[in-house]
Amino acid sequence: MKVLVAVKRVVDYNVKVRVKSDNTGVDIANVKMSMNPFDEIAIEEAVRLKEKGVVTEIIAVSCGVTQCQETLRTAMAIGADRAILVESTEELQPLAVAKLLKALIDKEQPGLIILGKQAIDDDCNQTGQMLAALAGLPQVTCASKVLIADGKATIIREIDGGLETLVVTLPAVMTADLRLNEPRYVTLPNIMKAKKKPLQVLKPAELGVDVTPRIKTLKVNEPPKRSAGIKVPDVATLVDKLKNEAKVI
């Protein structure tokens, strides 16, 4: 079975992001970039499935600027067999990415498509769901455990009330949650091997997809700074402040 895994290049989760002075977005100049953590979990799960003998080939896919090749090389160092970059300088929104992935699904015919449940830059949590709708495939989001057998995937996902077990017929779309696994450490020999693995570069036009942004960002602001806490002498004063100053009761 062939597995297609989508990975995104985002600002590293250890970096404290700063808003541009003109409030048009986040400043990413000279900022460390890395693979979206949830996508790293998705790649790790695909590699584990391959190690179990369930999967025969893992294809890592990324959509974005030329530098996304670094992210794909990391995916191949973890264990992906080959990579595809859909190169574009446009701002790629979830619907555009879903359409690009749909075109690649039609081309590659994978048995399973794995994405991270969301990207840590925009937190949209939309691409996997949109892709499943466009491709007409069953979907399971926020997966925390996966078992594949007899052309079906049994997936456990976390919900508000506990755990939910779903069984879907393959091919299907799955998005990975934090508790699905812990990604392995990438070793230097595997990084060197990844440099020799095939990486194909395509343009959105070659896939017949229009990636023009549909949503316009009007303004980006930093969250308001929290004011210092105060001590109150008694419960009556606390209730009064909560009621008249904070206005939360």
Side-chain angles (χ1 to χ4, degrees):
M1 182 175 74
K2 191 187 291 186
V3 172
L4 188 144
V5 185
V7 296
K8 185 177 183 181
R9 179 177 181 263
V10 298
V11 175
D12 189 88
Y13 69 93
N14 287 312
V15 173
K16 181 174 171 39
V17 295
R18 298 180 184 277
V19 174
K20 291 180 180 177
S21 57
D22 59 0
N23 296 106
T24 57
V26 172
D27 187 6
I28 59 171
N30 302 314
V31 169
K32 183 184 177 185
M33 308 291 282
S34 61
M35 186 189 301
N36 179 48
F38 290 105
D39 298 344
E40 203 171 347
I41 292 167
I43 280 283
E44 174 66 26
E45 191 61 27
V47 174
R48 292 187 185 191
L49 289 171
K50 187 179 180 184
E51 289 170 347
K52 291 176 184 175
V54 177
V55 170
T56 54
E57 186 182 25
I58 302 168
I59 308 163
V61 177
S62 191
C63 306
V65 294
T66 307
Q67 290 87 335
C68 290
Q69 291 189 26
E70 299 167 16
T71 309
L72 289 170
R73 292 292 177 196
T74 302
M76 289 190 284
I78 294 172
D81 298 295
R82 59 187 173 96
I84 301 171
L85 170 62
V86 183
E87 193 176 49
S88 174
T89 54
E90 285 272 10
E91 177 199 349
L92 294 176
Q93 295 171 350
L95 181 58
V97 175
K99 287 179 178 178
L100 292 170
L101 294 176
K102 161 67 166 59
L104 290 173
I105 288 171
D106 293 341
K107 184 179 178 183
E108 296 288 346
Q109 296 294 309
L112 180 65
I113 303 96
I114 311 178
L115 305 88
K117 71 167 185 176
Q118 65 194 79
I120 63 170
D121 54 358
D122 56 21
D123 275 332
C124 282
N125 187 7
Q126 295 174 341
T127 308
Q129 294 89 322
M130 288 177 170
L131 173 60
L134 290 170
L137 296 174
Q139 63 167 312
V140 179
T141 59
C142 306
S144 59
K145 190 174 181 181
V146 182
L147 177 65
I148 294 178
D150 304 321
K152 293 185 177 180
T154 304
I155 300 172
I156 297 173
R157 62 191 298 268
E158 294 185 7
I159 57 173
D160 291 341
L163 297 176
E164 180 181 47
T165 303
L166 298 173
V167 179
V168 292
T169 303
L170 300 177
V173 176
M174 180 185 89
T175 68
D177 203 353
L178 194 64
R179 291 172 183 82
L180 182 58
N181 61 53
E182 188 174 335
R184 67 195 64 193
Y185 179 75
V186 181
T187 61
L188 183 59
N190 285 337
I191 292 172
M192 300 308 291
K193 288 177 188 174
K195 292 181 179 180
K196 297 179 181 178
K197 291 183 179 179
L199 193 158
Q200 183 182 8
V201 179
L202 300 172
K203 298 288 185 184
E206 294 176 61
L207 298 172
V209 177
D210 177 17
V211 295
T212 306
R214 263 66 173 179
I215 302 168
K216 183 180 179 182
T217 302
L218 299 179
K219 195 175 184 182
V220 177
N221 290 320
E222 285 192 19
K225 287 184 170 57
R226 293 181 63 179
S227 55
I230 60 169
K231 288 183 179 180
V232 293
D234 50 45
V235 174
T237 309
L238 172 63
V239 172
D240 178 66
K241 287 186 177 295
L242 289 173
K243 187 175 181 181
N244 299 312
E245 291 184 22
K247 300 188 185 298
V248 293
I249 59 172

